[in-house]
Amino acid sequence: MGLHPLEFSESYLDSPAFREKIKAHEAELDKTGRFIKELYKDGKNLINATKQLSMAQKKFAQCLGEFKFEYIGDAKTDDEKCIDESLQEFSSFLRNLEDQRDLMMRNITETLMKPLEKFRKEQLGSAKEERKRYEKETEKYYSSLEKLLNMSAKKKEPQLQEADMSVEVTRQHFQESSLEYVCKLQEIQERKKFECVEPMLAFFQTVFTFYHQGYELAIDFDHYKKALQINIQNTRNRFEGARSEVYELMKRIKESPQEYRQTSPISSEGYLYVQEKRPPPFGSSWVKRYCTFVKEQKILHMKTFDQRSGGKLGETESVTIKSCARKTTDTLDRRFCLDIEITDRPFTVLTVQALSEDDHRFWMHAMGGKESMQFLNRTHSRERGIDAQLDDVGISFVKNSINAIETRGINDQGLYRVVGVSSKVQKLLSLMIDEKSNEIDLAASEDWDVKTITSALKLYLRSLPEPLMTYKLYKEFIVPAKSATPESRVQAIHCLVHKLPERNRLVLSLITNHLANVAANSKQNLMTVANLGVVFGPTLMRPQEDTVAAIMDLKFQNIVVEILIEQHEKIFGHAPSSSPSLETTHLCAPTRQSKRLSRQNRPLAVYNPQVLDIQTVSPSSESPALVNDETSVGSSESVSSQSSNASGTPPEKSKNHHASISTSLPESPGICTATASWMNSASISPAKPGSAGTEKNKPEESVTLMKAKAVYPCEAEHDSELSFQVGAIFHDVTLSREPGWLEGVLEGKRGLIPENYVEIL
């Protein structure tokens, strides 16, 4: 059973049972006070620990945001750019989450800690004061009563009456104190039920609202995560392709290092030991120097450098060479030496020592000495012994192979990635090419499996004396993949394809059309456009030189092939109208990044018992609808090319039109110039948050509803957005309160439209 109620009538009796009831009530209040005190202490510790966690998370986010990936080469792919920016995005998400956590902590202090402490001090504190007063009146009353009862009856009547009156007054004070104390005890016992629990309700509401904010951030992050996963997978696939090429190059260099020694037609470089003669009796010394010989000017630059001294760089000395000749061991007891005659020092001969016999011949050849070195010409056909030619027989084999693959194995998983047995592949290609045996119908023959045919087709393309896309145009194809925008990439590659020899362009069209068919069945064969780009990038195009720098460009070769596959009909369907200039700035398909709507200023829904009456509070009532956050542009097949969403470029705004509105349109944060331009011309006033309350008495401005046309496709990521294709017409278009967005009606549904995806009609 719980506490007994304290009857006011019992205050007059002041029985032992009544006193026991009071003690039980007092014990309960003492226990409540200790509980609140302990809870307050633990709450403080929780807040401090959370603040420490928040500080650690913010430090972690700062570390993420400050780091930048360095890359090899002179450009990054679109995937690499997204990966490079990912740490800043992670940092932003984490900082946003911690801002919400800080807000949660402030609200916990206001809605939990302060109310509990206030109840403990004011209510429990007042009960203690009443208790002291009650005990004081009790002591005073019973002392005066005993005094009265011990008074002699022989006292005079006036003295007795005075004593009786004094005790009566004391009794009245005692009873009043008892009544008030009893009332206070029962009031606090009832009050604690809501004044202690209501702050706890506010605490949990605040915590759950924080988790709800985290959930919303997770939804926003999910879109970014999916796009980033594609970026990562594309980069990983290209890395695997580049790594295999690097290891293959390293293997070839190990087998014949002198053949791959880097030289240029302008200069030759390497280490030489230079003899420095000193006056007697010191003799001479040999100093290691890094030498660069400029062939046209015949100048030898010598720089002192020793790796053992920590790589300290010394002075550079330059001399002009007249001639050089081998120095025999008869005159000097050292091998691999050359005597160099210097023009700017008459009658002076400089003696240097090469590192080996091959190195000696190399320097003799470079400086025009009497002995010359013949460098072996390297063939770029990776597979020796295959006489592949781009002739009628070869084209027939390509058509035969494509027909067989599309007839028998278009849905085979890992098509073109799963390789055939090398001996069978060589045998098939030799049969079809070397022996000119074109009577075999590979589509009908069961002697050759699909993976053998695909491997033979790739081997044929890689064994051609020159790749399909030619050495001459290689660098021109790579340039737009490195620097241009998605739409201008397609235009540039379109023009370059039509510069290829007719036979090359024909075979390239056959191959890319076939690869487009393969990619169309990617759900079955798992070969997306990006995967096919990795496989056929180094097959269809490659540089003439075998270097690591050239291999680092493989990822851009893949991008070019991806564009050829995705835009096959446009590129091969008709000749380009004009040759685009890559230096011209093109407007590109807007990225999902440009559709960002920040949540950093979103208010945290807080349960506040001070301002609530009978209303029901829910987390969603204080949170605006979820809006689209950032993701990267691109299909699930090929994010890197970014050409799948580029169906055209937005028309450029007239400079005169911009000038005409610059003075008439007031500045408004978050409204871009292009939006302001058409908004002003359409007499549409932007809706400003908070303006409704300040301008109630003003007449509504006339709004001319406009139409807009989609110039890029867009897929809605939230219910508040509209999905549409290129050419869709929107009605009743107005400027949204969300920066960067419009509102319009499409097929009877009103929703948000990214402003840079449409043009106003």
Side-chain angles (χ1 to χ4, degrees):
M1 183 178 175
L3 297 172
H4 292 279
L6 299 174
E7 297 293 343
F8 289 131
S9 58
E10 291 183 293
S11 297
Y12 291 92
L13 293 176
D14 200 18
S15 63
F18 175 68
R19 287 287 178 161
E20 288 299 320
K21 291 178 183 178
I22 287 180
K23 284 184 179 180
H25 278 264
E26 290 173 344
E28 175 61 23
L29 290 184
D30 289 341
K31 185 175 74 172
T32 302
R34 290 193 300 271
F35 161 71
I36 293 177
K37 201 170 184 178
E38 190 68 23
L39 187 65
Y40 185 84
K41 179 182 176 182
D42 290 341
K44 282 286 188 184
N45 292 336
L46 174 63
I47 290 174
N48 291 333
T50 306
K51 286 181 178 178
Q52 292 296 323
L53 170 63
S54 183
M55 288 174 61
Q57 297 261 52
K58 287 180 179 178
K59 181 69 171 60
F60 182 72
Q62 181 183 358
C63 183
L64 283 176
E66 291 175 351
F67 185 77
K68 282 280 189 181
F69 287 110
E70 292 295 337
Y71 58 93
I72 301 175
D74 57 356
K76 291 185 286 189
T77 64
D78 296 330
D79 293 310
E80 289 172 332
K81 290 174 184 176
C82 292
I83 291 173
D84 191 27
E85 295 168 358
S86 64
L87 296 185
Q88 284 72 40
E89 293 296 332
F90 296 154
S91 175
S92 176
F93 273 106
L94 200 53
R95 285 198 305 270
N96 197 349
L97 185 63
E98 292 314 307
D99 289 343
Q100 299 295 342
R101 194 192 304 275
D102 290 343
L103 186 57
M104 177 186 71
M105 288 298 100
R106 291 196 295 272
N107 284 305
I108 286 175
T109 300
E110 294 295 326
T111 58
L112 174 65
M113 307 302 291
K114 288 184 178 180
L116 286 178
E117 186 67 4
K118 181 180 179 181
F119 177 79
R120 188 181 71 83
K121 288 182 177 180
E122 292 184 2
Q123 300 300 326
L124 297 182
S126 64
K128 287 183 179 180
E129 292 298 324
E130 287 291 334
R131 179 178 179 179
K132 289 179 182 178
R133 179 168 168 259
Y134 173 65
E135 290 175 350
K136 183 179 179 181
E137 292 296 331
T138 299
E139 177 65 25
K140 186 177 179 181
Y141 169 64
Y142 283 106
S143 296
S144 61
L145 181 61
E146 288 180 3
K147 206 172 176 184
L148 175 66
L149 295 177
N150 290 330
M151 184 178 288
S152 172
K154 297 178 180 180
K155 293 281 186 180
K156 295 179 180 180
E157 188 62 26
Q159 289 180 328
L160 293 175
Q161 289 180 357
E162 184 182 355
D164 289 342
M165 290 179 63
S166 176
V167 170
E168 180 63 23
V169 171
T170 306
R171 182 184 64 77
Q172 289 179 358
H173 289 167
F174 163 67
Q175 289 176 346
E176 288 176 3
S177 174
S178 178
L179 289 171
E180 291 176 0
Y181 185 46
V182 165
C183 182
K184 190 64 161 177
L185 285 176
Q186 297 188 115
E187 177 189 339
I188 294 176
Q189 294 291 4
E190 294 301 308
R191 183 186 288 272
K192 72 178 183 181
K193 295 176 183 177
F194 56 87
E195 290 210 0
C196 287
V197 175
E198 195 171 39
M200 294 303 303
L201 176 61
F203 166 76
F204 280 99
Q205 179 65 40
T206 302
V207 171
F208 291 143
T209 303
F210 168 71
Y211 290 144
H212 181 71
Q213 292 285 352
Y215 171 73
E216 290 186 344
L217 282 174
I219 292 176
D220 292 342
F221 183 75
D222 188 62
H223 305 302
Y224 178 75
K225 179 195 73 175
K226 290 177 180 177
L228 185 60
Q229 284 174 332
I230 298 173
N231 299 139
I232 292 172
Q233 188 58 46
N234 288 345
T235 304
R236 178 182 285 113
N237 291 343
R238 292 174 185 138
F239 161 76
E240 294 295 340
R243 184 175 66 168
S244 63
E245 294 289 333
V246 168
Y247 275 91
E248 181 65 25
L249 175 60
M250 184 173 65
K251 180 182 176 182
R252 293 197 299 272
I253 290 177
K254 283 181 179 179
E255 292 172 354
S256 53
Q258 195 63 30
E259 180 182 347
Y260 283 86
R261 179 167 183 171
Q262 286 195 1
T263 60
S264 76
I266 301 173
S267 63
S268 300
E269 300 181 25
Y271 282 102
L272 290 171
Y273 281 82
V274 181
Q275 184 184 37
E276 294 187 353
K277 298 179 180 179
R278 299 178 181 176
F282 299 105
S284 62
S285 62
W286 294 84
V287 180
K288 181 182 177 184
R289 299 208 174 175
Y290 190 78
C291 300
T292 302
F293 178 67
V294 182
K295 298 179 181 178
E296 187 175 348
Q297 288 86 10
K298 291 191 174 182
I299 297 176
L300 180 66
H301 301 285
M302 299 177 292
K303 186 178 298 184
T304 304
F305 182 78
D306 191 350
Q307 291 89 342
R308 294 173 299 180
S309 63
K312 187 176 180 181
L313 203 61
E315 296 181 355
T316 300
E317 181 183 359
S318 300
V319 294
T320 303
I321 294 177
K322 182 179 180 181
S323 64
C324 77
R326 173 187 287 272
K327 192 175 186 69
T328 62
T329 54
D330 297 338
T331 57
L332 182 65
D333 190 18
R334 292 178 80 100
R335 299 191 300 163
F336 321 134
C337 292
L338 300 88
D339 278 340
I340 300 174
E341 188 177 352
I342 303 171
T343 58
D344 44 3
R345 297 180 192 173
F347 311 108
T348 301
V349 174
L350 183 67
T351 302
V352 298
Q353 183 180 27
L355 306 183
S356 65
E357 185 61 36
D358 288 337
D359 195 45
H360 181 274
R361 287 197 297 270
F362 168 80
W363 284 107
M364 287 285 291
H365 170 75
M367 297 181 187
K370 295 179 182 179
E371 297 180 2
S372 63
M373 179 179 67
Q374 300 295 330
F375 286 98
L376 297 175
N377 291 326
R378 300 197 296 268
T379 174
H380 287 273
S381 178
R382 306 296 174 90
E383 309 293 339
R384 313 284 181 174
I386 300 296
D387 184 21
Q389 298 295 329
L390 198 62
D391 51 14
D392 291 340
V393 175
I395 295 175
S396 176
F397 168 65
V398 170
K399 292 179 179 178
N400 196 348
S401 299
I402 289 174
N403 182 48
I405 295 166
E406 294 190 356
T407 302
R408 296 169 49 193
I410 192 71
N411 292 324
D412 288 2
Q413 287 192 4
L415 189 66
Y416 283 110
R417 276 218 162 168
V418 179
V419 297
V421 179
S422 179
S423 58
K424 290 185 177 180
V425 173
Q426 293 271 357
K427 183 178 179 182
L428 174 61
L429 189 56
S430 298
L431 182 67
M432 302 298 291
I433 300 298
D434 290 352
E435 299 177 11
K436 309 295 189 294
S437 178
N438 288 294
E439 298 177 359
I440 300 175
D441 184 1
L442 294 177
S445 174
E446 297 294 333
D447 296 336
W448 309 99
D449 55 21
V450 173
K451 64 183 180 182
T452 302
I453 298 172
T454 58
S455 298
L457 178 57
K458 288 190 296 181
L459 178 58
Y460 165 74
L461 294 172
R462 297 194 74 165
S463 299
L464 291 172
E466 186 176 36
L468 273 183
M469 299 172 72
T470 71
Y471 293 132
K472 180 182 178 181
L473 294 177
Y474 172 80
K475 290 185 179 179
E476 294 186 49
F477 275 111
I478 289 294
V479 168
K482 287 184 176 181
S483 58
T485 57
E487 178 61 21
S488 57
R489 286 176 190 170
V490 177
Q491 295 175 4
I493 291 173
H494 189 182
C495 292
L496 290 171
V497 164
H498 287 267
K499 290 183 179 180
L500 291 171
E502 184 177 353
R503 194 176 286 266
N504 293 56
R505 188 168 66 252
L506 170 64
V507 176
L508 185 61
S509 177
L510 291 172
I511 295 293
T512 52
N513 181 60
H514 164 61
L515 296 181
N517 294 335
V518 173
N521 293 272
S522 60
K523 288 186 178 179
Q524 291 77 32
N525 58 41
L526 306 182
M527 293 303 291
T528 63
V529 172
N531 291 338
L532 292 170
V534 171
V535 173
F536 279 89
T539 301
L540 299 178
M541 59 184 300
R542 60 181 181 272
Q544 196 159 9
E545 67 278 1
D546 273 347
T547 62
V548 173
I551 293 174
M552 289 299 106
D553 280 343
L554 269 179
K555 52 195 175 186
F556 299 106
Q557 299 174 30
N558 302 343
I559 291 173
V560 173
V561 174
E562 289 172 14
I563 293 174
L564 289 174
I565 297 172
E566 290 177 330
Q567 304 292 331
H568 172 269
E569 292 184 3
K570 176 180 179 180
I571 292 174
F572 294 95
H574 57 83
S577 56
S578 61
S579 180
S581 172
L582 293 178
E583 296 177 358
T584 306
T585 302
H586 293 269
L587 294 174
C588 60
T591 64
R592 306 296 287 185
Q593 186 97 356
S594 66
K595 296 174 63 179
R596 175 187 303 179
L597 290 178
S598 175
R599 295 183 174 274
Q600 294 186 359
N601 297 322
R602 169 172 293 186
L604 180 65
V606 178
Y607 178 86
N608 189 348
Q610 307 298 328
V611 297
L612 292 180
D613 189 6
I614 316 176
Q615 298 175 354
T616 303
V617 178
S618 68
S620 60
S621 65
E622 302 242 359
S623 300
L626 283 177
V627 293
N628 178 36
D629 206 288
E630 59 213 14
T631 57
S632 297
V633 170
S635 65
S636 60
E637 296 179 345
S638 173
V639 174
S640 60
S641 67
Q642 293 195 5
S643 58
S644 59
N645 282 345
S647 59
T649 57
E652 296 184 358
K653 304 297 179 183
S654 169
K655 294 182 180 179
N656 295 332
H657 185 59
H658 278 283
S660 66
I661 69 163
S662 61
T663 57
S664 61
L665 186 68
E667 294 183 1
S668 178
I671 302 175
C672 73
T673 308
T675 305
S677 174
W678 72 259
M679 184 183 70
N680 186 73
S681 63
S683 300
I684 298 178
S685 300
K688 297 182 180 178
S691 62
T694 59
E695 301 186 6
K696 286 183 178 179
N697 299 327
K698 292 187 178 182
E700 292 186 2
E701 299 181 15
S702 62
V703 177
T704 304
L705 299 177
M706 302 294 293
K707 292 182 180 181
K709 179 181 178 182
V711 293
Y712 301 105
C714 179
E715 182 178 352
E717 295 175 351
H718 294 288
D719 293 338
S720 59
E721 297 179 27
L722 295 177
S723 295
F724 51 85
Q725 297 298 323
V726 175
I729 303 298
F730 304 93
H731 300 274
D732 301 344
V733 178
T734 60
L735 185 66
S736 172
R737 292 187 179 186
E738 299 289 355
W741 293 80
L742 307 174
E743 290 184 12
V745 177
L746 178 65
E747 297 178 354
K749 180 182 177 182
R750 188 169 187 84
L752 292 172
I753 311 162
E755 66 176 359
N756 51 353
Y757 277 57
V758 300
E759 63 179 359
I760 301 303
L761 299 178

